[in-house]
């Protein structure tokens, strides 16, 4: 690589890390034309530069009984890397099920690698640690998911994920931002097909309820669900507590309890410019 203006040699050995061959989705060929293997994984020892033995094609690849002389695709990989690869695959599968981006998967993988190398959670299931790492990554990236949402795509119980979550924070000496009602409002309203007017009203209701200390001890998720219920009942797009509970992962009785706490002060909670389809005195009592 030479500078076109002064002739300075910028680099005499440029390595192309891209794909060696182009592949097409409608290509019917079964053979893989690539000879360079997968991309390097810095989280694995040796950057995953291991040997892969291809499938035998001639008579020299089989013994007298017809069995392959060499184990196909057998990698020279230690047990530690195998455990990491299994966990990374599980994290990727969970993230795909709830439509999380690649950046979150990478952060989750890094967290799992740190925990694995530190050996501070011995005896805990790798699946539980992977689920907790995904939960922490979501919190740290500002797109938190609830324990129930992670539990729904995992094979681990909510209680075990919660335990690993606390242990990982302690082991890595890290922290996560406190969850607020606003973290879930946009996603919940979008999944309920509510217009932006209702979403803004629900956000305002939840924020004012917290400021006025109307919901002490209540989780932000249940407060957000109650605020959405109140805002939707005052609009033309009414939603039941069951519909909201199914999306938010909160029981109907929990939404009802939080709603009863904010209902007496409903006149103070709505934004000033909100257009009521149903008057406040016509809102459900519980």
């Amino acid at each position: 690589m030479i500078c076109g203006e002064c002739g300075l040699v910028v680099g005499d050995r440029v390595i192309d890390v891209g794909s060696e061959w182009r592949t097409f989705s409608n290509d019917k060929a079964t053979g893989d034309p690539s000879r360079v293997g997968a991309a390097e994984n810095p989280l694995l020892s040796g950057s995953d530069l291991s040997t892969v033995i291809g499938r035998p094609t001639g008579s020299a690849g089989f013994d007298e009984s017809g069995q392959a002389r060499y184990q196909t695709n057998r990698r020279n990989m230690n047990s530690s890397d195998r455990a990491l690869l299994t966990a990374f695959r599980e994290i990727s599968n969970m993230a795909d099920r709830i439509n999380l981006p690649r950046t979150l998967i990478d952060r989750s993988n890094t967290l799992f690698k740190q925990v694995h190398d530190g050996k501070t959670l011995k005896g805990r299931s790798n699946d539980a640690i992977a689920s907790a790492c995904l939960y922490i990554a979501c919190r740290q990236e500002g797109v938190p998911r609830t324990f129930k949402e992670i539990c729904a795509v995992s094979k681990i119980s909510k209680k075990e994920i919660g335990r690993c979550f606390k242990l990982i924070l302690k082991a890595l000496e890290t922290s996560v931002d406190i969850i607020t009602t606003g973290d879930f409002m946009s996603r919940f309203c979008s999944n309920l097909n509510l217009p932006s007017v209702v979403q803004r009203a629900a956000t305002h209701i939840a924020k004012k309820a917290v400021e006025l200390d109307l919901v002490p001890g209540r989780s932000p998720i249940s407060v957000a669900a109650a605020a959405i219920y109140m805002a939707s009942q005052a609009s033309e797009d009414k939603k039941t507590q069951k519909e909201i509970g199914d999306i938010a992962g909160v029981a109907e009785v929990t939404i009802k309890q939080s709603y009863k706490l904010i209902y007496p002060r409903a006149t103070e909670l709505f934004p000033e410019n909100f257009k009521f389809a149903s008057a406040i005195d016509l809102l459900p009592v519980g």
Side-chain angles (χ1 to χ4, degrees):
M1 185 182 293
I2 303 173
C3 176
E5 295 182 2
C6 65
L8 175 68
V9 178
V10 180
D12 59 354
R13 189 177 174 214
V14 181
I15 300 175
D16 182 8
V17 296
S19 176
E20 183 187 16
W21 295 84
R22 289 187 300 167
T23 55
F24 302 92
S25 58
N26 60 351
D27 190 359
K28 297 190 178 18
T30 55
D32 183 7
S34 177
R35 297 170 296 174
V36 296
E40 291 186 21
N41 190 341
L43 298 179
L44 299 176
S45 60
S47 296
D48 197 24
L49 298 178
S50 52
T51 302
V52 180
I53 300 174
R55 187 181 299 278
T57 55
S59 58
F62 302 91
D63 58 20
E64 294 80 4
S65 61
Q67 298 292 324
R69 292 182 184 275
Y70 309 103
Q71 290 180 312
T72 306
N73 290 343
R74 179 66 178 176
R75 292 173 179 262
N76 299 324
M77 186 178 294
N78 57 41
S79 59
S80 177
D81 280 355
R82 277 196 294 272
L84 285 174
L85 271 181
T86 303
F88 295 164
R89 197 175 300 117
E90 179 65 20
I91 288 172
S92 181
N93 289 339
M94 288 189 292
D96 286 343
R97 290 186 202 122
I98 49 179
N99 301 315
L100 294 177
R102 184 70 212 179
T103 52
L104 274 170
I105 297 175
D106 292 339
R107 180 177 277 269
S108 304
N109 290 346
T110 303
L111 286 170
F112 186 92
K113 170 74 170 173
Q114 292 172 349
V115 174
H116 184 268
D117 290 348
K119 299 180 180 178
T120 52
L121 268 71
K122 279 189 174 182
R124 297 285 175 181
S125 161
N126 279 347
D127 286 343
I129 298 172
S131 301
C133 287
L134 184 61
Y135 176 79
I136 293 171
C138 290
R139 292 273 296 268
Q140 291 180 339
E141 289 291 326
V143 285
R145 295 296 187 266
T146 65
F147 277 121
K148 284 188 177 180
E149 287 177 294
I150 300 295
C151 184
V153 296
S154 172
K155 300 175 264 188
I156 309 301
S157 68
K158 177 183 170 184
K159 186 183 239 183
E160 184 61 21
I161 296 174
R163 283 177 185 156
C164 287
F165 163 67
K166 291 178 181 176
L167 290 171
I168 291 171
L169 290 184
K170 185 177 179 182
L172 299 183
E173 297 181 352
T174 186
S175 61
V176 291
D177 293 335
I178 297 173
I179 291 177
T180 65
T181 55
D183 293 329
F184 304 99
M185 200 66 73
S186 175
R187 185 156 49 88
F188 288 170
C189 290
S190 176
N191 291 337
L192 287 164
N193 296 317
L194 290 172
S196 57
V197 177
V198 177
Q199 180 187 325
R200 287 195 296 270
T203 303
H204 190 275
I205 290 168
K207 186 178 179 182
K208 289 290 287 183
V210 173
E211 288 176 358
L212 296 172
D213 199 24
L214 303 180
V215 283
R218 292 285 166 182
S219 73
I221 301 169
S222 64
V223 176
I228 292 172
Y229 178 66
M230 177 176 281
S232 70
Q233 289 297 316
S235 71
E236 294 179 350
D237 301 274
K238 293 177 171 51
K239 298 294 179 182
T240 64
Q241 292 177 353
K242 185 179 186 310
E243 288 176 304
I244 297 170
D246 289 342
I247 294 296
V250 180
E252 287 182 65
V253 65
T254 305
I255 298 176
K256 186 177 291 187
Q257 289 170 350
S258 296
Y259 179 78
K260 283 182 177 179
L261 293 174
I262 64 176
Y263 174 76
R265 306 278 291 273
T267 53
E268 303 175 48
L269 302 179
F270 279 90
E272 293 180 1
N273 58 349
F274 183 76
K275 294 181 180 179
F276 290 90
S278 299
I280 288 182
D281 54 355
L282 296 179
L283 291 175
V285 179

